[in-house]
């Protein structure tokens, strides 16, 4: 079983919709949970991180962690065409950061 | 800009060439990484350096040779690559807190094409 599983998509939703992106993981030693956004021809950039179960909100973005289910989510409200990108979940273990495959998201105007 | 700079942005090289990728960060971070990103695959961790010491070599072929002369600079030396090595090579850095690595900051990447 891979340490981090993420559906690569692509996921297409209409502008204004709520987007839900998810990852599952198998290693209960992970402590920090992160979401990165990667635009075409660019490196990934950190969007949000959290280290506890529950929700963390930042503007239109909400990161959710459920450690008991080993499941993390990123919600995007009022999605915009500029949100079209690849979203990668990531989590740390010791001195490594393990990434998911990334989900390609298209917001349709 | 994230504070991590990679050069060159694009590189085309023949299978018999030798080239080097460069990464520089001025964020005061202790850890630096090389990742490979191929189409439809997750980011693959290649090498990790903590405080200039290599702590991870993720079964990377010897035709890739990293060098970390100081905590601000990281190189990836390339020699006799194969076409399947064509990918986006990303450098990242992160602070280390109490033995755990927190969030990584990435450069823009070098798009490598091996012909």
């Amino acid at each position: 079983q891979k340490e981090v599983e993420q559906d690569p998509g692509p996921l297409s939703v209409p502008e204004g919709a709520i987007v839900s992106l998810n990852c599952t993981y198998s290693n209960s030693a992970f402590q920090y949970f992160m979401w990165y956004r990667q635009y075409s021809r660019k490196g990934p950039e950190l969007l949000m991180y959290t280290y506890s179960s529950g929700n963390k909100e930042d503007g239109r973005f909400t990161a959710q962690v459920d450690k008991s289910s080993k499941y993390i989510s990123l919600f995007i409200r009022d999605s915009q065409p500029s949100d079209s990108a690849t979203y990668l979940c990531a989590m740390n273990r010791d001195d490594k950061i393990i990434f998911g495959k990334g989900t390609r998201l298209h917001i349709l105007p | 800009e994230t504070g991590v700079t990679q050069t060159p942005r694009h590189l085309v090289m023949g299978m018999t060439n030798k080239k080097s990728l460069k990464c520089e960060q001025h964020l005061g971070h202790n850890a630096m990484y090389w990742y490979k990103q191929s189409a439809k695959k997750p980011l693959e961790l290649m090498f990790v350096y903590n405080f200039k010491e290599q702590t991870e070599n993720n079964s990377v072929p010897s035709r890739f040779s990293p060098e970390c002369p100081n905590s601000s600079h990281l190189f990836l030396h390339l020699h006799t690559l194969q076409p399947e090595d064509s990918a986006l090579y990303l450098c990242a850095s992160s602070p280390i807190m109490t033995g755990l690595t927190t969030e990584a900051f990435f450069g823009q990447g070098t798009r490598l094409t091996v012909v």
Side-chain angles (χ1 to χ4, degrees), chain B residues 17-34:
Chain B
N17 291 158
K18 286 185 183 180
K19 296 285 184 184
S20 295
L21 310 185
K22 181 182 175 183
C23 177
E24 189 173 348
Q25 60 94 4
H26 296 289
L27 301 169
H29 290 166
N30 317 112
M32 296 188 78
Y33 312 80
W34 281 115

Side-chain angles (χ1 to χ4, degrees), chain A residues 46-85:
Chain A
L46 181 68
L47 197 57
M48 294 182 72
Y49 80 90
T50 183
Y51 53 87
S52 58
S53 282
N55 294 351
K56 181 177 180 179
E57 196 172 309
D58 184 1
R60 295 185 295 111
F61 298 88
T62 300
Q64 187 176 80
V65 174
D66 182 347
K67 288 189 176 181
S68 61
S69 302
K70 297 190 179 67
Y71 190 87
I72 69 170
S73 300
L74 178 71
F75 299 98
I76 307 175
R77 289 185 299 280
D78 187 26
S79 55
Q80 306 293 312
S82 58
D83 295 327
S84 298

Side-chain angles (χ1 to χ4, degrees), chain A residues 11 13-19 21 36-40 45 47 58-61 74-88 103-109:
Chain A
L11 178 64
V13 299
E15 184 177 354
I18 295 175
V19 176
L21 303 167
Y36 285 80
R37 178 175 60 196
Q38 186 176 19
Y39 291 115
S40 181
E45 57 176 343
L47 197 57
D58 184 1
R60 295 185 295 111
F61 298 88
L74 178 71
F75 299 98
I76 307 175
R77 289 185 299 280
D78 187 26
S79 55
Q80 306 293 312
S82 58
D83 295 327
S84 298
T86 297
Y87 290 81
L88 302 104
T103 300
R104 280 195 298 142
L105 174 66
H106 299 290
I107 306 299
L108 306 169

